[in-house]
Amino acid sequence: MIARRIVILFCVLASACQADTSPPTIPVPTSTLPPETPVPSPTGRDTVTPVATVPASSVELEGAELPPGFSLIKFAGLYHPTAFAFDSMGSMYVTSQDGNVYLLEDTNMDGRADSQVTFSTGYYFPLGVTVHEPTGDVYVSHQGKVTVLADTDGDRRADVQETLVDDLPYDIHMNNNLKFGPDSWLYIGVGSACKSCEDTDPRSATIMRFDIETGEGEIYARGLRNAFDIAFHPESGELFATDNGRDDLGMDVPFEELNHIVENGDYGYPYCWNEQDEAGCENTIPAVAFFEAHSSADGLDFYDGDGFPAEYRGNAFVTIFGSWLKPNVQTGIQRVILSPSGNTYIGEASWFVRFPAGVMPLPLLFGPDDTLYVGDYVNDAIYQIRYGRP
């Protein structure tokens, strides 16, 4: 049963069940810290421009490659993590492929979870979780449904469970991660019901949003084959989403995507991909950044803290999950620098973290402690990435 669930999820992620091919060469980011360079002084004597000191670091995953000064340690072991969320107290909610929602805490602030309880259980394919800050309610996305959980007696376990949505379309893909927008609506990616087709349900291959007071929903954007994660820019409040392209056009097309999502936008699926400059694609919106074809771009979040060097602020971070049938795909975390271009952006993507073979990252989220959390789905681990030693 466990092996079957692993294979099913790889297909749910859209591009994980592909034939073998070699990945294209992707430039490795260089250190963001300048070297010490002699600069002539006004007196003609050489002096040295002072530079920031790269902090000591620790990498507990053999073979992982990070920029200088960054540490990676194991935060927790947890079966097949699929999504993360934090509440106002810094507690971490994690959905797992075992059907549970777990609550993790690092009470002594050493970068490792020292408390883990089962917050709620009984969800089939839970792929999303978020917390409604005004109430502390926990929203879980699972196959065809969104469920609302509350802990009213403070025992760190949900004792109230209500259904917000129970009829979302699903088949080979389903409803994915979900986030609250600046407008207080609940946004969620809903995958296509097939690998490449015209879906019969107009809600498939979309991003939807819901009024949590009434349960009423609407399609916000369409033409997104499988938007696994969404995130709002910390300054502008604009919506972005990862998306995984169709898998019947060969091993080199289409690229996986990071999209800037606008209301009523059409992002091209199933007939338009990559630059979307073919006839019939004139009214569709191309991605702002691309990743290797069939590499499965999934977890997404923006950095808006002070713990990383300043040049990382406002950047998007995306997990590259890889492929079950394509083991030579480089997996890891891509960093995307966004530059304004008219009413949208141009993204420059490069590797932030490269993982060794066999590590397949899925969920990704920055925590209130100014560190980045990433879940290794196949190896049942959650890692914490920070600048300097933990």
Side-chain angles (χ1 to χ4, degrees):
M1 177 61 75
I2 290 176
R4 179 174 178 272
R5 282 191 174 185
I6 292 175
V7 173
I8 290 174
L9 180 74
F10 291 145
C11 294
V12 166
L13 293 178
S15 298
C17 299
Q18 301 299 317
D20 186 27
T21 188
S22 297
T25 301
I26 302 175
V28 181
T30 57
S31 170
T32 58
L33 296 170
E36 292 191 349
T37 304
V39 179
S41 68
T43 62
R45 298 176 181 175
D46 286 344
T47 185
V48 175
T49 302
V51 296
T53 301
V54 177
S57 60
S58 173
V59 178
E60 295 184 352
L61 178 61
E62 184 177 358
E65 300 175 15
L66 289 80
F70 282 88
S71 290
L72 182 151
I73 66 170
K74 187 174 181 179
F75 176 72
L78 190 143
Y79 180 78
H80 290 10
T82 59
F84 302 148
F86 288 92
D87 65 17
S88 60
M89 302 299 292
S91 299
M92 183 185 201
Y93 295 85
V94 185
T95 49
S96 164
Q97 208 56 58
D98 64 8
N100 295 334
V101 180
Y102 293 97
L103 180 58
L104 278 60
E105 292 181 313
D106 173 13
T107 59
N108 62 3
M109 303 299 291
D110 66 349
R112 305 177 197 275
D114 45 44
S115 172
Q116 176 177 312
V117 299
T118 302
F119 184 72
S120 190
T121 189
Y123 308 99
Y124 192 68
F125 278 102
L127 295 182
V129 63
T130 194
V131 177
H132 185 232
E133 286 297 346
T135 63
D137 292 344
V138 177
Y139 287 69
V140 180
S141 169
H142 51 116
Q143 192 176 75
K145 301 179 180 181
V146 176
T147 298
V148 188
L149 307 174
D151 170 19
T152 61
D153 59 8
D155 67 350
R156 303 170 71 240
R157 289 173 174 81
D159 47 61
V160 174
Q161 177 173 298
E162 298 178 350
T163 299
L164 178 69
V165 186
D166 64 359
D167 65 342
L168 293 172
Y170 64 87
D171 197 318
I172 189 170
H173 306 130
M174 52 170 277
N175 41 296
N176 297 305
N177 206 8
L178 68 178
K179 304 275 178 67
F180 280 96
D183 56 6
S184 299
W185 285 64
L186 181 65
Y187 290 74
I188 184 170
V190 182
S192 171
C194 61
K195 292 186 177 180
S196 54
C197 68
E198 290 189 12
D199 287 283
T200 57
D201 192 316
R203 299 172 298 171
S204 294
T206 69
I207 290 175
M208 296 191 66
R209 66 177 181 178
F210 290 89
D211 182 335
I212 63 170
E213 298 299 327
T214 66
E216 294 298 317
E218 62 185 29
I219 296 171
Y220 188 78
R222 65 188 74 248
L224 295 144
R225 179 176 176 269
N226 194 32
F228 186 81
D229 205 358
I230 57 179
F232 291 88
H233 193 281
E235 294 181 2
S236 69
E238 294 168 294
L239 178 60
F240 290 77
T242 51
D243 191 25
N244 293 309
R246 56 190 291 179
D247 54 12
D248 59 342
L249 301 174
M251 289 298 101
D252 297 324
V253 291
F255 298 131
E256 315 293 47
E257 300 176 345
L258 174 65
N259 289 279
H260 173 213
I261 305 298
V262 298
E263 188 171 3
N264 298 319
D266 181 352
Y267 291 82
Y269 173 80
Y271 301 115
C272 305
W273 51 86
N274 293 0
E275 289 78 12
Q276 300 179 192
D277 52 5
E278 301 292 329
C281 298
E282 295 85 357
N283 295 321
T284 65
I285 304 173
V288 298
F290 297 102
F291 312 100
E292 181 186 352
H294 313 302
S295 62
S296 197
D298 296 310
L300 170 66
D301 199 14
F302 285 93
Y303 181 64
D304 188 36
D306 297 314
F308 285 18
E311 57 266 32
Y312 287 89
R313 192 173 296 119
N315 294 174
F317 291 78
V318 176
T319 56
I320 304 299
F321 180 80
S323 171
W324 185 244
L325 298 178
K326 194 177 175 183
N328 56 334
V329 169
Q330 177 66 61
T331 68
I333 302 172
Q334 289 260 322
R335 172 194 179 193
V336 182
I337 301 173
L338 296 170
S339 301
S341 177
N343 59 0
T344 186
Y345 297 86
I346 296 174
E348 178 186 348
S350 59
W351 286 110
F352 175 63
V353 175
R354 293 175 184 257
F355 284 127
V359 175
M360 303 184 83
L362 184 57
L364 171 150
L365 191 67
F366 282 96
D369 56 354
D370 229 10
T371 61
L372 178 60
Y373 293 82
V374 59
D376 178 0
Y377 177 83
V378 297
N379 296 297
D380 304 336
I382 299 172
Y383 292 102
Q384 184 196 84
I385 299 172
R386 67 169 63 227
Y387 191 60
R389 281 188 173 275

